[in-house]
């Protein structure tokens, strides 16, 4: 009979899955900026961004307002490696006149109780941080601020709604001269999650099932439209009690739910809470029993006063009647106390009603919780997830069957989540202290991280200083008397013209500048159908050859040329060849280049001080299979400028921002004292990587730069390049990560074996980690590939470190480039210069922010120059062929 009567309260798994889907849709609605105003589930940001990590310590106060009693706590958190804490509390009644009076009285009462507690504990002399648990829906814009949206749980205090409750508490504490700092406002649900999170770091959901009901969980910032920023996570207080206030659950609400709602203090509101929480379940049972009695189904149709009295059946009665082990004795005793004369059948029926009502509560709670767990799993992109739910509340704790039912249904609805339910022992009070302790820890950490990264933040004034010093060094390198000691070598390239479109023919090009070596055949057509066709083959250069003898290196290069000529079927042709050699060379003519010094990891012996063109010719002679006309030796920077110059005659600067860093530009011959002649222009290969080798930029070099320099193949050399080029940025990041880990700010203070390996943190990881499209989850995956087990907070810090290092690199590069464009403007004697810079290099091409920061810096530091950046398509290969073609053209003109 009861089953038939309460048929609509029995919910199948299909119905629960449907409720779960409805709740998920409401969560999405609550998180969206545009949809939040109409969402019933408000998804309130709590500004709690981090869970406890076990390193919290200190003395904290907490106050807890939200139930029938007000509580004050002292929480001591010990940093003893055992994650232990000590809680001492005192309970104060919350009188009816206070919870239904005015705001000033309420907060005066809270301040009075807190002062009494501090006196009891001899704490009045200490200034302690305080966490405030306030278990009502608040809109927060920061951790220590919250505007009350609406009272719940029988509270009806006047003049508090729509005001900041923390500031009201502050005023009351000041009035009472209490020496307390309110650092955090916390919902009881968040407090529960934080308390359990201290004991189990997997805990990222908090659930309250008691007088009220609510849940919170850690959401990805990128999904929270209501808060600026998309890094990391933040705890969201769902305020799920209002789920269904828009009619979304009307098909599941029974006539009893409607009657109960109409008789409540807030009709039409908190409808989900009214179907779940212990505040209403006893009343729901009373309404059902009343109707059944009136219809003659119970107690011989005799309605007692108790059944007619609102609130007469409480949750404690329902819990007691469901103690099946005690048979029907509890049920009989309770019903007799209510002046009912129950038969055995009545007792069975009433017990059954209680079971159906509380089971429906557990089912609905499980469906909404399953929706949250599914969202967490999907956020993490996991097929299967292990997590912990921190839980508190009288219904869960005292009802004999509730916990078991809830667990069972949740596991059935989300079989791909392994859920542990952890009971919060000291609840929301300790949780508020934990939130405060975490906020304290994060503030201290933030200070130390900021201190480590501060030297990377370059002011405009500092950048202007770098630009000015670069200008001075450029001048030193051009002057005869200072060139020998100049750090920026300003090497003449003997490239005296840019392409004019008449170049044509077949050319070979070699490109040596990194771990790969390329041979190219370039066909240039002139006239109306002007075009450049290229064929190339890439060959690896093994480390033992990079760091072997010069003879072995050049023999390897010639072997690669022989393979290519055979592959292309042109072994017999004597073609003009341009040799892109991306290392500093001192040139006496376009086809003579003496190596000044190796860079980029090369260490081949017997090469420095030698003419690399001669070394190549000798290697070709040794092989004695073919002959080549080596017309030009070219730096990759010059090749880049020439390639872009072929498309845009305004291009007179070449920039490489990749493994290495360098610039070339067309300088007026009259300014180049180390070369005879004053007419025309010549391309100067600045070799600016050596800028600062004389100590002129030591004021901006950090301890991390010095460590990278000391561990490099050429200590004390190429200092500017070591701060700006792809070869070194990852290593700078690694040094910072090691330092922060040693300070206990990263990776739980554990330096992994992989992090100890030099070169493990490649620059490509910086580009990947800094990508705006990359979620922190993917950052964590990259770090896992490096053997670094990172938390969400670790990932944010790593991303920040990468950002600081790469931004500084782009700004320094921009300051150097600004010095060159300003020099070009002065050379031309114009007030406003329009010029194009040809650019190549993986850092410029692949890093998500490098090119933008570089452009912005040049614009800021050289405002009278309108600089266009043109990406070079295959600068070093095509450029070498074009230089060879231009040299041939100029040679022929000279002969005529």
């Amino acid at each position: 009979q009861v089953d038939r009567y309460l048929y609509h309260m029995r919910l199948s798994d299909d119905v629960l899955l449907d409720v779960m889907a409805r709740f998920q849709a409401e969560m999405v609605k609550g998180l969206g900026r545009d949809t939040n105003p109409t969402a019933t589930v408000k998804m309130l940001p709590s500004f709690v961004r981090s869970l406890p990590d076990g390193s919290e310590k200190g003395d904290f106060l907490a106050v807890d307002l939200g139930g029938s009693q007000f509580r004050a706590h002292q929480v001591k958190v010990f940093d003893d490696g055992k994650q232990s804490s000590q809680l001492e509390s005192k309970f104060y009644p919350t009188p009816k006149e206070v919870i239904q009076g005015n705001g000033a009285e309420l907060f005066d009462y809270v301040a009075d109780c807190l002062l009494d507690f501090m006196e009891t504990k001899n704490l009045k002399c200490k200034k302690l941080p305080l966490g405030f648990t306030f278990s009502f829906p608040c809109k927060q814009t920061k951790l220590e601020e919250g505007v009350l949206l609406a009272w719940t749980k029988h509270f009806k205090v006047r003049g508090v709604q729509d005001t900041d409750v923390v500031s009201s508490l502050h005023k009351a504490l000041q009035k009472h001269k209490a020496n307390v700092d309110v650092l955090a406002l916390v919902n009881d649900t968040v407090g529960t999650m934080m308390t359990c999170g201290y004991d189990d770091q997997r805990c990222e959901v908090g659930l309250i099932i008691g007088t009220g009901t609510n849940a919170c969980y850690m959401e990805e910032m990128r999904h929270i439209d209501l808060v600026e920023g998309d890094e990391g996570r933040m705890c969201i207080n769902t305020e799920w009690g209002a789920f269904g206030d828009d009619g979304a659950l009307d098909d599941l609400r029974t006539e009893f739910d409607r009657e109960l709602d109409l008789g409540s203090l807030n009709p039409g509101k908190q409808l989900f809470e009214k179907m779940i929480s212990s505040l209403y379940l006893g009343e729901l049972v009373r309404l059902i029993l009343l109707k059944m009695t009136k219809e003659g189904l119970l107690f011989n149709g005799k309605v007692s006063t108790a059944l007619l009295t609102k609130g007469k059946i409480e949750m404690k009665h329902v819990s007691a009647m469901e103690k099946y082990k005690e048979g029907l004795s509890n049920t009989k005793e309770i019903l007799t106390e209510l002046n009912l004369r129950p038969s055995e059948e009545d007792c069975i029926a009433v017990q059954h009603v209680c079971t159906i009502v509380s089971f429906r509560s557990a089912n609905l709670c499980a469906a909404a919780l399953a929706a949250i767990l599914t969202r967490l799993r999907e956020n993490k992109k996991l097929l299967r997830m292990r997590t912990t739910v921190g839980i508190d509340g009288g219904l869960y704790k005292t009802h004999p069957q509730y916990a078991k039912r809830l667990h069972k249904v949740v596991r059935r609805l989300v079989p791909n989540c392994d859920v542990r339910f952890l009971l919060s022992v000291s609840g929301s009070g300790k949780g508020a202290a934990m939130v405060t302790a975490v906020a304290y820890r994060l503030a201290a950490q933030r200070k130390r991280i900021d201190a480590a990264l501060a030297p990377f933040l370059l002011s405009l004034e500092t950048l202007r200083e770098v630009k000015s010093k670069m200008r001075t060094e450029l001048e030193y390198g051009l002057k005869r008397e200072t060139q020998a000691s100049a750090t920026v070598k300003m090497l003449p390239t003997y490239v005296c013209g840019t392409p004019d479109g008449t170049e044509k023919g077949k050319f070979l090009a070699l490109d040596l500048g990194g771990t790969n070596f390329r041979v190219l055949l370039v066909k240039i057509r002139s006239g109306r159908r002007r075009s450049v066709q290229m064929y190339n083959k890439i060959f690896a250069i093994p480390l033992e050859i990079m760091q072997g003898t010069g003879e072995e290196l050049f023999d390897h290069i010639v072997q690669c040329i022989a393979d290519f000529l055979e592959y292309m079927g042109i072994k017999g042709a004597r073609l003009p060849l341009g040799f892109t050699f991306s290392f500093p060379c001192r040139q006496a003519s376009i086809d003579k280049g003496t190596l000044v010094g190796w860079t980029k990891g090369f260490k081949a012996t017997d090469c420095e001080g030698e003419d690399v063109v001669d070394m190549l010719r000798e290697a070709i002679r040794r092989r004695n299979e073919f002959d080549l006309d080596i017309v030009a030796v070219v730096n990759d920077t010059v090749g880049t400028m020439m390639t872009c110059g072929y498309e845009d005659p305004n291009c007179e600067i070449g920039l490489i921002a990749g493994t290495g860093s360098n610039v070339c530009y067309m300088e007026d011959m009259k300014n180049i004292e180390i070369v005879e002649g004053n007419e025309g222009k010549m391309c100067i290969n600045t070799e600016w990587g050596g800028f600062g080798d004389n100590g002129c930029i030591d004021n901006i070099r950090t301890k991390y730069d010095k460590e990278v320099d000391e561990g490099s193949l050429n200590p004390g050399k190429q200092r500017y390049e070591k701060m700006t080029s792809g070869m070194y940025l990852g290593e700078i990041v690694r040094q910072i990560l090691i330092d922060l880990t040693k300070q206990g700010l990263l990776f739980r203070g554990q330096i992994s074996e992989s992090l100890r390996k030099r070169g493990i943190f490649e620059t490509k990881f910086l580009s990947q980690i800094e990508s705006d499209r990359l979620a922190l989850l993917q950052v964590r995956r990259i770090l896992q590939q490096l053997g670094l087990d990172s938390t969400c907070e670790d990932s944010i810090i790593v991303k920040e470190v990468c950002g600081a290092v790469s931004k500084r690199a782009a700004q320094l590069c921009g300051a150097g480039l600004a010095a060159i464009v300003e020099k070009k403007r002065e050379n031309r004697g114009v007030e406003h210069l329009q010029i194009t810079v040809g650019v190549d290099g993986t850092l410029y091409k692949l890093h998500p922010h490098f090119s933008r920061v570089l452009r912005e810096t040049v614009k800021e530091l050289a405002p009278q120059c309108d600089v266009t950046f043109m990406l070079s398509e295959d600068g070093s290969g095509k450029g070498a062929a074009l230089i060879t073609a231009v040299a041939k053209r100029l040679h022929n003109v000279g002969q005529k």
Side-chain angles (χ1 to χ4, degrees):
Q1 256 186 339
V2 173
D3 271 353
R4 226 176 25 249
Y5 203 78
L6 298 181
Y7 173 75
H8 290 298
M9 282 197 166
R10 287 189 170 278
L11 306 176
S12 68
D13 277 5
D14 283 347
V15 170
L16 293 178
L17 287 166
D18 185 39
V19 171
M20 184 176 151
R22 292 183 215 181
F23 189 75
Q24 276 181 303
E26 274 300 305
M27 287 169 79
V28 172
K29 207 171 161 187
L31 288 170
R33 184 177 278 116
D34 299 332
T35 47
N36 174 274
T38 58
T40 55
V41 178
K42 283 299 175 197
M43 304 295 281
L44 302 171
S46 67
F47 290 83
V48 170
R49 295 171 187 268
S50 182
L51 294 162
D53 71 354
S55 66
E56 292 77 16
K57 59 180 177 184
D59 256 17
F60 303 93
L61 286 172
V63 291
D64 189 349
L65 179 70
S68 52
Q69 289 185 313
F70 169 76
R71 291 173 290 178
H73 313 270
Q74 180 191 7
V75 181
K76 290 184 179 191
V77 185
F78 303 104
D79 183 21
D80 53 6
K82 296 176 190 166
Q83 276 187 244
S84 53
S85 61
Q86 186 183 316
L87 174 77
E88 292 187 43
S89 309
K90 192 169 178 184
F91 292 70
Y92 299 86
T94 320
K96 193 171 179 181
E97 59 272 20
V98 169
I99 64 172
Q100 297 192 357
N102 67 48
E105 289 164 358
L106 172 70
F107 289 103
D108 276 346
Y109 180 72
V110 169
D112 273 338
C113 295
L114 181 61
L115 276 168
D116 173 73
F117 177 72
M118 289 172 76
E119 214 156 279
T120 314
K121 300 287 172 197
N122 292 323
L123 298 173
K124 285 192 91 172
C125 303
K126 289 184 178 180
K127 180 159 186 166
L128 293 176
L130 174 114
F132 181 19
T133 302
F134 186 75
S135 310
F136 305 94
C138 281
K139 185 178 180 184
Q140 289 187 252
T141 49
K142 45 189 174 188
L143 188 58
E144 67 282 14
E145 183 185 273
V147 173
L148 176 66
L149 294 176
W151 286 112
T152 54
K153 305 176 211 169
H154 294 330
F155 273 69
K156 276 280 181 189
V157 184
R158 296 182 303 281
V160 182
Q161 201 167 319
D162 300 323
T163 67
D164 174 19
V165 295
V166 176
S167 120
S168 301
L169 178 59
H170 261 304
K171 279 177 198 155
L173 290 168
Q174 277 174 335
K175 191 166 126 190
H176 288 69
K177 296 188 170 53
N179 192 17
V180 173
D181 214 358
V182 185
L183 283 193
L185 177 75
V186 183
N187 180 280
D188 54 348
T189 329
V190 181
T192 296
M193 180 187 77
M194 293 299 270
T195 301
C196 296
Y198 185 66
D199 299 320
D200 178 348
Q201 286 182 3
R202 284 188 190 278
C203 180
E204 48 193 344
V205 180
L207 176 62
I208 300 276
I209 319 168
T211 319
T213 180
N214 194 11
C216 70
Y217 72 104
M218 294 301 286
E219 176 59 89
E220 302 283 325
M221 279 289 289
R222 69 181 188 278
H223 296 148
I224 310 171
D225 280 358
L226 311 166
V227 179
E228 287 303 308
D230 57 1
E231 300 295 359
R233 301 193 300 169
M234 183 182 284
C235 180
I236 290 288
N237 163 20
T238 65
E239 285 299 334
W240 76 7
F243 176 40
D245 287 7
D246 58 353
L249 296 176
D250 280 4
D251 56 330
L252 300 179
R253 291 172 71 226
T254 64
E255 58 180 301
F256 308 111
D257 294 308
R258 291 187 176 89
E259 195 179 336
L260 179 143
D261 176 43
L262 286 171
S264 68
L265 282 172
N266 53 352
K269 291 184 176 169
Q270 299 295 105
L271 297 182
F272 189 60
E273 183 167 83
K274 286 169 186 169
M275 295 165 87
I276 289 183
S277 82
S278 62
L279 188 63
Y280 301 100
L281 294 192
E283 182 60 8
L284 205 52
V285 167
R286 181 188 74 80
L287 291 171
I288 295 166
L289 297 184
L290 176 60
K291 186 168 182 190
M292 287 176 79
T293 308
K294 280 180 177 175
E295 291 184 9
L297 297 172
L298 285 174
F299 314 122
N300 295 320
K302 288 176 185 169
V303 178
S304 71
T305 317
L307 277 185
L308 291 167
T309 309
K310 187 178 167 185
K312 197 68 181 173
I313 296 181
E314 294 174 37
M315 192 63 221
K316 64 181 181 186
H317 299 133
V318 177
S319 294
M321 288 192 277
E322 281 195 76
K323 289 181 178 167
Y324 304 132
K325 284 179 183 169
E326 291 166 33
L328 298 172
S329 59
N330 275 347
T331 309
K332 189 164 188 166
E333 196 178 308
I334 290 162
L335 295 173
T336 307
E337 275 174 22
L338 295 170
N339 294 324
L340 296 160
R341 291 192 173 77
S343 64
E344 192 167 323
E345 286 75 19
D346 289 336
C347 290
I348 292 168
V350 170
Q351 196 176 62
H352 205 48
V353 168
C354 292
T355 300
I356 288 171
V357 167
S358 61
F359 215 127
R360 184 186 70 157
S361 163
N363 275 334
L364 287 171
C365 188
L369 181 59
I372 289 173
L373 294 169
T374 302
R375 183 166 179 90
L376 269 176
R377 185 181 60 77
E378 286 169 358
N379 278 352
K380 294 180 179 187
K381 294 184 170 60
L382 295 173
L383 291 174
R384 190 167 194 88
M385 176 181 78
R386 270 182 74 192
T387 193
T388 298
V389 174
I391 200 161
D392 201 357
L395 181 53
Y396 183 87
K397 285 177 177 175
T398 58
H399 189 285
Q401 316 295 328
Y402 200 94
K404 192 167 63 185
R405 287 171 187 165
L406 178 75
H407 299 177
K408 210 170 176 180
V409 181
V410 168
R411 289 181 178 130
R412 219 166 54 231
L413 295 177
V414 279
N416 44 12
C417 292
D418 300 317
V419 189
R420 178 189 180 208
F421 290 87
L422 182 60
L423 192 61
S424 166
V425 182
S426 35
S428 46
K430 180 179 168 186
M434 286 316 309
V435 171
T436 312
V438 169
Y440 228 59
R441 165 175 65 80
L442 291 177
Q445 280 183 354
R446 183 74 264 160
K447 246 184 202 163
R448 287 156 70 194
I449 291 162
D450 287 349
L453 297 183
F456 290 87
L457 305 176
L458 304 179
S459 66
L460 201 54
E461 194 183 328
T462 303
L463 291 170
R464 285 200 182 103
E465 200 182 300
V466 171
K467 173 187 141 184
S468 164
K469 286 175 178 174
M470 175 66 87
R471 178 64 190 268
T472 305
E473 293 295 312
L474 297 174
E475 302 289 359
Y476 279 163
L478 287 172
K479 290 192 166 45
R480 189 175 281 115
E481 67 271 18
T482 50
Q483 206 273 341
S485 61
T487 56
V488 178
K489 287 296 176 198
M490 305 296 280
L491 304 172
T493 64
Y494 294 86
V495 170
C496 296
T498 50
D500 69 357
T502 63
E503 294 76 19
K504 61 182 178 184
K506 283 184 188 177
F507 304 89
L508 272 182
L510 308 182
D511 181 8
L512 177 70
T515 48
N516 288 331
F517 166 66
R518 284 190 313 157
V519 188
L520 305 96
L521 174 65
V522 183
K523 293 179 182 175
I524 303 174
R525 286 172 70 165
S526 62
R528 265 193 323 193
R529 294 172 66 198
R530 199 170 78 137
S531 68
V532 178
Q533 277 181 306
M534 291 193 298
Y535 310 88
N536 74 80
K537 206 167 180 199
I538 296 172
F539 302 89
I541 299 188
L543 188 66
E544 61 271 19
I545 285 178
M546 279 169 72
Q547 297 184 7
T549 67
E551 202 168 286
E552 285 169 337
L553 174 63
F554 282 92
D555 282 348
H556 179 74
I557 289 168
V558 172
Q559 169 71 58
C560 297
I561 297 170
D563 289 353
F564 178 75
L565 294 175
E566 197 146 319
Y567 169 72
M568 293 299 294
I570 51 170
K571 211 163 188 180
R574 189 175 190 271
L575 295 174
L577 178 139
F579 183 15
T580 299
F581 187 75
S582 310
F583 302 93
C585 281
R586 187 167 277 108
Q587 288 185 250
S589 66
I590 196 163
D591 64 346
K592 287 192 183 308
T594 303
L595 177 63
V596 175
W598 286 118
T599 55
K600 302 178 217 172
F602 275 74
K603 268 286 185 189
T605 56
D606 311 321
C607 294
E608 291 180 5
E610 299 295 326
D611 181 354
V612 294
V613 177
D614 284 348
M615 292 184 84
L616 180 60
R617 284 189 180 127
E618 278 166 31
I620 291 170
R621 270 200 295 275
R622 271 198 300 277
R623 191 169 180 92
N624 198 21
E625 271 183 31
F626 52 84
D627 195 15
L628 297 170
D629 174 17
I630 304 170
V631 173
V633 61
V634 183
N635 183 277
D636 54 349
T637 330
V638 185
T640 295
M641 181 188 77
M642 293 298 268
T643 302
C644 294
Y646 187 67
E647 307 293 334
D648 177 357
N650 213 17
C651 179
E652 290 201 348
I653 299 175
L655 166 68
I656 298 285
T659 313
S661 176
N662 195 13
V663 159
C664 72
Y665 72 103
M666 294 303 287
E667 177 60 89
D668 293 355
M669 282 290 286
K670 64 176 186 284
N671 295 331
I672 312 171
E673 292 186 7
I674 49 177
V675 176
E676 292 303 314
N678 285 329
E679 293 306 312
K681 294 178 182 179
M682 183 184 284
C683 180
I684 290 288
N685 164 20
T686 65
E687 285 299 334
W688 77 0
F691 173 49
D693 289 2
N694 58 359
C696 72
I697 54 170
D698 278 4
N699 61 314
I700 59 167
R701 287 176 78 227
T702 66
K703 62 178 181 179
Y704 310 111
D705 294 309
K706 288 168 188 161
E707 279 161 3
V708 169
D709 179 35
E710 282 159 20
S712 69
L713 286 170
N714 53 351
K717 291 181 179 171
Q718 300 294 102
R719 288 180 179 179
Y720 181 65
E721 182 168 75
K722 284 169 185 168
M723 296 163 86
T724 55
S725 82
M727 186 163 187
Y728 301 98
L729 298 190
E731 187 56 18
I732 297 172
V733 168
R734 187 183 74 90
Q735 292 293 347
I736 299 171
L737 298 186
I738 285 175
D739 186 31
L740 295 180
T741 308
K742 279 179 182 169
Q743 290 185 49
L745 303 172
L746 265 181
F747 311 130
R748 299 179 188 85
Q750 304 297 309
I751 300 177
S752 68
E753 275 313 304
S754 59
L755 196 56
R756 293 180 200 277
K757 288 178 195 159
R758 183 171 295 282
I760 186 79
F761 207 99
E762 295 170 48
T763 298
K764 69 175 182 187
F765 295 132
L766 265 82
S767 295
Q768 290 169 3
I769 285 169
E770 285 189 72
S771 167
D772 292 327
R773 295 190 305 277
L774 201 66
L776 283 175
L777 198 67
Q778 290 155 294
V779 175
R780 285 178 75 177
R781 289 214 179 107
I782 292 167
L783 295 173
Q784 275 163 358
Q785 286 169 24
L786 294 169
L788 302 168
D789 182 22
S790 69
T791 63
C792 177
E793 286 75 27
D794 290 337
S795 303
I796 294 171
I797 295 167
V798 170
K799 194 165 182 176
E800 201 179 333
V801 170
C802 292
V805 170
S806 61
K807 185 180 180 183
R808 182 191 68 162
Q811 286 180 321
L812 286 175
C813 201
L817 195 55
I820 285 169
V821 295
E822 274 291 323
K823 184 168 190 351
K824 289 285 297 173
R825 188 181 66 78
E826 287 171 28
N827 282 356
R828 284 198 199 168
V830 292
E831 199 157 312
H832 199 86
L833 175 74
Q834 277 207 317
I835 194 159
T836 299
V837 176
V839 199
D840 201 355
T842 46
L843 194 56
Y844 186 90
K845 285 180 177 176
L846 302 180
H847 191 281
H849 308 299
F850 188 93
S851 59
R852 175 183 53 79
V853 176
L854 170 70
R855 289 194 301 270
E856 286 168 1
T857 308
V858 173
K859 196 171 183 180
E860 184 79 57
L861 298 180
Q864 289 165 277
C865 302
D866 183 5
V867 185
T868 303
F869 287 82
M870 183 178 184
L871 206 54
S872 161
E873 294 303 321
D874 192 54
S876 44
K878 186 171 162 185
L882 282 165
I883 288 166
T884 307
V886 170
K888 275 286 191 199
R889 170 171 61 77
L890 294 176
H891 179 69
N892 293 341
V893 169
Q895 278 189 331
K896 281 175 192 172

